[in-house]
Amino acid sequence: ARACATDIDIGEVRAFGEETPSTTEGITFDADGNLYVGTRYTEANDELLDVSPAGTFESVAEEESILGLESHENGIIACGVRTGKLLLIDPETGQVDTITDQLGEPNFVVTTAWDTMLVSDDRNGEDTIYEVTWEGDVSTWVDGVPSPNGMVFSLDGSTLYVATTFEDPPGLWRVPIMGDGTAGTPDKWVTFPSGSTPDGVAIDSEGNVYVALNLLGEIAKVDTEGNDSIIATGVRTTASLAFGQGEFDPCSIYSTNLFGTQLWRVGIGVLGVEK
């Protein structure tokens, strides 16, 4: 049975593990409870790190650009923000394959229940979330979500929650999902302070959504009614978020650090969704 660890309080922020060799952005757990984090370099290839529950890590793959991460039975999916690519990485062998190279500056990716991938691009002026098939076909899934970044599905799969980074003021949007997997009309659900740069998102087993407010170093909690509060502060340049899986605390959020080399662990006190 999954149970909350007792060594951390709700809202408590702890440094997790060894400092990484560079700043980090993407984070994901696979179905076996392995934690993967993407490093960001300016003059070298990015790396995919395999991070142990003790916080040690090893590099398992490298590529010119690795940003947002998602796990799938096929491997680790990664956004190549500097290359326009969506990548499939085998962390066992380090092999990197290109699913498509026809994206602008892909930032975040989620897999769908209908076996495609949705990809965001948070640049100013962008308002499109793209859909990509495993064959590499790219199409517009929905327009009208300004500067889309982190994404997560509701527990029942009827809604996609999207954090908007450079919208002014930024927020958390909802995109209804039709029965055939097409998108309904997006609407802005929650507004965050100007300049807070919402980034990654996560959802717990009760349906609460958590949003990394990057420049504020805060994590916001949004309940199922759309009420928002700050559950943690001092999470310096928090980027992507993921609830623990496997041997990691399932009631803690693990966070990357956009401008620093220290990963974070934040006590939430509610079970995350099990993969």
Side-chain angles (χ1 to χ4, degrees):
R2 300 167 77 225
C4 296
T6 58
D7 67 329
I8 192 169
D9 295 328
I10 295 174
E12 181 180 351
V13 178
R14 290 188 180 180
F16 172 71
E18 300 176 350
E19 290 197 25
T20 54
S22 184
T23 60
T24 53
E25 171 82 6
I27 189 170
T28 191
F29 286 90
D30 68 13
D32 295 323
N34 300 304
L35 171 59
Y36 297 98
V37 168
T39 64
R40 302 165 66 246
Y41 292 96
T42 56
E43 298 181 358
N45 285 344
D46 291 351
E47 292 179 299
L48 183 67
L49 305 181
D50 182 346
V51 185
S52 75
T56 60
F57 58 83
E58 63 174 330
S59 176
V60 295
E62 64 176 64
E63 182 65 22
E64 181 178 351
S65 180
I66 297 174
L67 195 69
L69 300 177
E70 171 74 305
S71 66
H72 186 271
E73 62 182 8
N74 291 345
I76 302 299
I77 307 165
C79 292
V81 68
R82 301 194 303 272
T83 60
K85 295 180 179 180
L86 192 65
L87 306 170
L88 182 64
I89 302 174
D90 183 344
E92 296 294 325
T93 65
Q95 179 174 333
V96 181
D97 294 316
T98 298
I99 300 170
T100 182
D101 60 2
Q102 299 300 306
L103 298 165
E105 293 184 12
N107 189 303
F108 203 92
V109 56
V110 291
T111 54
T112 69
W114 52 96
D115 201 28
T116 63
M117 293 151 282
L118 301 181
V119 182
S120 64
D121 180 335
D122 71 341
R123 288 176 294 171
N124 272 316
E126 284 288 335
D127 70 347
T128 300
I129 296 172
Y130 297 93
E131 185 165 26
V132 181
T133 69
W134 286 102
E135 291 73 34
D137 299 319
V138 179
S139 60
T140 294
W141 186 68
V142 70
D143 289 320
V145 183
S147 183
N149 196 334
M151 302 178 289
V152 71
F153 289 101
S154 62
L155 297 183
D156 63 2
S158 67
T159 303
L160 181 71
Y161 298 109
V162 187
T164 58
T165 301
F166 299 115
E167 178 191 17
D168 190 19
L172 184 67
W173 286 61
R174 297 181 297 185
V175 183
I177 300 170
M178 305 296 103
D180 60 356
T182 58
T185 303
D187 73 289
K188 191 174 187 177
W189 193 36
V190 176
T191 298
F192 295 120
S194 294
S196 56
T197 57
D199 200 337
V201 294
I203 193 167
D204 69 23
S205 58
E206 296 178 356
N208 303 300
V209 179
Y210 301 84
V211 184
L213 302 182
N214 185 283
L215 289 186
L216 296 181
E218 298 175 346
I219 295 177
K221 176 182 178 180
V222 181
D223 69 19
T224 56
E225 301 299 318
N227 302 304
D228 65 289
S229 59
I230 300 302
I231 194 168
T233 61
V235 199
R236 187 166 63 88
T237 58
T238 174
S240 298
L241 309 177
F243 272 94
Q245 306 286 327
E247 295 182 35
F248 295 80
D249 178 23
C251 301
S252 286
I253 280 177
Y254 295 82
S255 169
T256 50
N257 189 335
L258 188 62
F259 298 122
T261 56
Q262 181 62 67
L263 301 175
W264 305 111
R265 176 189 171 196
V266 180
I268 300 299
V270 179
L271 288 168
V273 176
E274 186 173 18
K275 291 199 172 184

